[in-house]
């Protein structure tokens, strides 16, 4: 029974969920979005500071959620810092395919290994929204759509 | 006292074909009947037979099958009437589910009677389907929605309720049993006090119907609703009981075939009794299936079902309480076999996913009762809801898998 659960709840995931990185509201954020999963009531606010050069200078989040959504938000904010908008969205597109089980190949350069930790989600279709909530919010924040709801 | 010897849960489990299967290679411990209950073979067979042998539209023909189909459909209505101890079959309206039943009353009664400043009293325990229809009608009529608070145990606060009642109170709509935490509310006191204040009362019996015998004439509610799929019947069928004099005064909700007396473009007159509220082809086979489900539980008897469930509730409460860092949300004195809980440091969704791998089906989330979640300051809980077919092994499987949650989360 426990194999795919162990795969889902790896040490790294649990660590990120218990001690989420970038869990704060930066005063100088210039893009933000509120993500909401009406199914479970989980919420996440994603804050971005986009530089003039199109680089994400800072990324942070606050919210309430399960281990999967917190870990995913925590990793995401770490990973997208220093990337361009296009790069962040490309990683999101690939990541989404990965957790939905649509593609096994996943290449996000140096971040591949870290994000692969969340690949276990593909065995749990009901949890895909948990893993992608913060990413949807990040993408909406860039597009200046302040609310997103995963339905 | 030892009537319990005739309640053989293992025999009852064999009446439900789903328990023959495994989930993730484990025996199924189905503890989510509060969301929707499993179906006994007799319900499945009755519906199958209705399609195979007697199917036709009802109330609309003189041919043989239409007559048989009508008799079965109306027979189901009589079964429900007897089960609820309603005075007349005219008081039993078939709907799609509890939600539609409540919307029907909110719209029909609300449009006809609510004025700006009138008050609709609900409680913090309500399911969203006994909140949102009232908010919608309040918005359109200028009425105001108020909620009776609950205490730290999840108990309906009767004294606060009595203080809230007044000349402006038009409608009281309260649940009989909380779907999220199991509280059984003092419905009789609620109804009598509302009547003293001149208000009409709707009771949401969605969670009561699977656990107790209903008695409309003793209860004296103006409206009482429940939903078929939670009482071991099919989806797509709900019940609205309405006192005859209430229904008579109520305008129709949906218009269409079957609900009319005479239609002309100048003026249409409506059918009487339940027919006025059953527009269009009804859920025929679903009603027949619900009748079979009600016959099934009554053949076992709610006294025995209740005793079995209460014993199981006591066992499950004791077992779960022995788990470190587990907190039971809602500890009312009178509870149905529903236990909501949280685990320190673990989100209910993670609990749900992990116990599922142990074959244990529970509901995790806000249970469509967000005001109640806010009251307890949680976003979500894990909920085990039990029914007549659950046994101690189901509870043991839950307890074991909750312990495995703790192992994983360290
Ligand atoms: C207390 C309560 N009221 C109303 C409902 C709504 O039932 P349905 O969705 O079948 O209309 C439910 C079940 O979800 C419930 O538990």
């Amino acid at each position: 029974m426990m194999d795919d659960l162990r795969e889902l709840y790896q040490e790294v995931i649990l660590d990120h969920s218990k001690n989420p990185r970038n869990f704060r509201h930066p005063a100088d954020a210039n893009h933000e979005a509120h993500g909401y999963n009406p199914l479970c009531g989980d919420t996440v606010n994603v804050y971005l500071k986009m530089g003039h050069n199109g680089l994400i200078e800072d990324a942070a989040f606050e919210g309430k959620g399960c281990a999967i959504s917190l870990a995913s938000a925590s990793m995401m904010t770490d990973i997208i810092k220093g990337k361009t908008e296009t790069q962040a969205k490309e990683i999101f597109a690939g990541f989404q395919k990965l957790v939905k089980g649509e593609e096994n190949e996943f290449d996000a350069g140096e971040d591949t290994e870290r994000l692969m930790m969340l690949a276990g989600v593909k065995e749990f279709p009901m949890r895909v929204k948990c893993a992608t909530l913060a990413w949807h919010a990040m993408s909406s924040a860039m597009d200046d759509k302040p609310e997103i709801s995963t339905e | 006292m030892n009537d319990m010897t005739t309640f053989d849960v293992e025999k009852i489990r064999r009446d439900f074909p789903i328990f023959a299967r495994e989930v993730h290679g484990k025996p199924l411990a189905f503890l989510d009947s509060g969301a929707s209950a499993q179906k006994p073979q007799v319900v499945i067979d009755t519906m199958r037979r209705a399609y195979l042998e007697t199917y036709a539209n009802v109330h609309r023909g003189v041919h043989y099958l239409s007559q048989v189909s009508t008799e079965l459909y109306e027979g189901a209505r009589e079964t429900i009437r007897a089960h609820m101890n309603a005075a007349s079959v005219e008081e039993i309206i078939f709907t799609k589910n509890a939600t539609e039943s409540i919307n029907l009353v909110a719209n029909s009664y609300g449009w006809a009677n609510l004025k700006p400043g009138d008050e609709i009293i609900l409680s913090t325990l309500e399911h969203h389907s006994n909140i949102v229809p009232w908010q919608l009608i309040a918005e359109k009529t200028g009425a105001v929605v108020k909620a009776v608070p609950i205490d730290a145990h999840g108990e309906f606060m009767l004294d606060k309720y009595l203080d809230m009642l007044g000349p402006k109170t038009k409608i009281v709509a309260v649940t009989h049993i909380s779907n999220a935490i199991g509280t059984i509310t003092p419905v009789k006191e609620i109804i009598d006090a509302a009547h003293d204040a001149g208000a009409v009362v709707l009771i949401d019996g969605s969670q009561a119907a699977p656990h107790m015998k209903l008695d409309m004439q003793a209860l004296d509610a103006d409206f009482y609703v429940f939903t078929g799929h939670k009482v071991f019947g099919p989806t797509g069928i709900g019940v609205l009981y309405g006192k005859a004099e209430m229904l008579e005064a109520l305008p129709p909700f949906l218009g269409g075939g079957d609900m009319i007396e005479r239609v002309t473009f100048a003026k249409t007159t409506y059918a009487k009794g339940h027919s006025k509220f059953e527009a269009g082809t009804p859920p025929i086979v679903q009603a027949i299936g619900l009748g079979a489900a009600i016959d099934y539980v009554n053949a076992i008897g709610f006294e025995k079902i209740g005793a079995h469930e209460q014993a199981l509730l006591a066992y499950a409460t004791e077992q779960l309480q022995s788990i470190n860092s587990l907190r039971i949300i809602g500890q009312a004195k009178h509870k149905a076999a529903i236990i909501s809980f949280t685990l320190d440091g673990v989100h209910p969704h993670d609990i749900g996913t992990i116990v599922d791998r142990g074959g244990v089906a529970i509901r995790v989330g806000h249970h469509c009762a967000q005001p109640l979640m806010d009251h307890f300051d949680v976003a979500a809980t894990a909920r085990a809801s039990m029914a007549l077919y659950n046994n101690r092994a189901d509870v043991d499987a839950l307890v074991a898998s909750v312990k495995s949650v703790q192992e994983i989360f360290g």
Side-chain angles (χ1 to χ4, degrees), chain B residues 152-204:
Chain B
H153 298 289
E155 213 80 77
F156 180 92
M157 295 178 81
L158 202 54
D159 52 337
K160 291 275 192 318
Y161 164 66
L162 297 176
D163 288 343
M164 288 166 75
L165 285 169
K168 287 188 179 161
T169 313
K170 285 288 145 56
I171 301 173
V172 172
V174 172
T175 194
H176 197 158
I177 293 179
S178 155
N179 66 304
I181 60 172
T183 306
I184 302 177
T185 60
V187 272
K188 185 62 187 151
E189 285 90 335
I190 292 170
I191 293 165
D192 289 348
H195 285 163
D196 288 344
V200 306
V201 188
L202 176 143
I203 300 295
D204 177 0

Side-chain angles (χ1 to χ4, degrees), chain B residues 58-351:
Chain B
V58 292
H59 304 144
R60 297 196 179 172
V62 294
H63 63 76
Y64 176 74
L65 286 181
S66 174
Q67 181 197 327
V68 177
S69 197
T70 304
E71 278 165 12
L72 288 170
Y73 178 70
E74 292 303 329
R77 195 190 309 276
E78 167 54 24
T79 301
I80 311 290
R81 184 211 62 76
H83 173 65
M84 299 181 84
N85 190 30
S88 155
V89 283
E90 293 303 336
E91 300 181 319
I92 306 296
I93 298 162
F94 284 129
T95 61
K96 175 172 80 191
N97 49 32
T99 303
E100 184 183 300
S101 298
I102 296 168
N103 276 275
L104 191 163
V105 176
N107 280 275
S108 290
Y109 189 88
W111 267 128
N113 297 286
L114 290 175
K115 296 183 300 299
D118 283 348
E119 292 177 1
I120 302 168
I121 296 187
L122 316 176
S123 86
T124 306
L125 291 168
E126 302 315 308
H127 187 281
H128 294 166
S129 60
N130 197 29
I131 300 176
V132 184
W134 302 110
Q135 290 177 321
L136 288 170
I137 197 70
E139 213 168 277
K140 290 176 192 153
T141 58
V144 181
V145 172
K146 296 191 158 179
V148 178
I150 55 171
D151 69 13
H153 298 289
E155 213 80 77
F156 180 92
M157 295 178 81
L158 202 54
D159 52 337
K160 291 275 192 318
Y161 164 66
L162 297 176
D163 288 343
M164 288 166 75
L165 285 169
K168 287 188 179 161
T169 313
K170 285 288 145 56
I171 301 173
V172 172
V174 172
T175 194
H176 197 158
I177 293 179
S178 155
N179 66 304
I181 60 172
T183 306
I184 302 177
T185 60
V187 272
K188 185 62 187 151
E189 285 90 335
I190 292 170
I191 293 165
D192 289 348
H195 285 163
D196 288 344
V200 306
V201 188
L202 176 143
I203 300 295
D204 177 0
S206 300
Q207 294 292 338
H211 303 294
M212 56 173 72
K213 183 89 181 76
L214 306 175
D215 188 340
M216 292 305 109
Q217 297 186 66
L219 211 52
D220 197 33
D222 301 291
F223 301 102
Y224 193 100
V225 312
F226 71 90
T227 195
H229 65 95
K230 294 189 207 273
V231 232
F232 318 104
T235 54
I237 183 79
V239 170
L240 166 62
Y241 158 85
K243 261 189 209 161
E245 63 264 32
M246 283 289 156
L247 295 182
E248 201 168 318
L250 231 53
F253 173 46
L254 301 174
D258 271 357
M259 53 76 71
I260 52 90
E261 186 179 64
R262 173 88 180 97
V263 176
T264 66
F265 281 109
K267 180 171 175 57
T268 289
T269 53
Y270 307 117
K272 304 270 182 298
H274 56 70
S275 302
K276 181 164 68 175
F277 302 98
E278 292 184 2
T281 298
I284 303 165
V285 178
Q286 289 88 332
I288 295 168
L290 177 60
I294 297 294
D295 282 340
Y296 174 79
V297 285
N298 279 323
I300 297 167
F302 271 105
E303 230 163 271
K304 288 177 198 162
I305 293 171
H308 168 73
E309 289 179 352
Q310 285 298 315
L312 206 53
L313 173 66
Y315 178 68
T317 304
E318 180 197 304
Q319 293 296 304
L320 286 170
Q321 256 165 352
S322 73
I323 297 177
N324 241 337
S325 80
L326 184 144
R327 174 175 159 227
I328 292 181
I329 307 286
Q331 310 239 35
K333 200 149 13 108
H334 299 289
K335 269 180 75 165
I338 293 172
I339 305 181
S340 246
F341 62 93
T342 57
L343 269 185
D344 286 351
V346 189
H347 189 281
H349 257 185
D350 297 312
I351 301 175

Side-chain angles (χ1 to χ4, degrees), chain A residues 35-51:
Chain A
Y36 178 61
N37 183 347
L39 266 179
C40 57
D42 286 354
T43 59
V44 62
N45 287 312
V46 170
Y47 309 106
L48 304 174
K49 183 182 177 214
M50 311 284 289

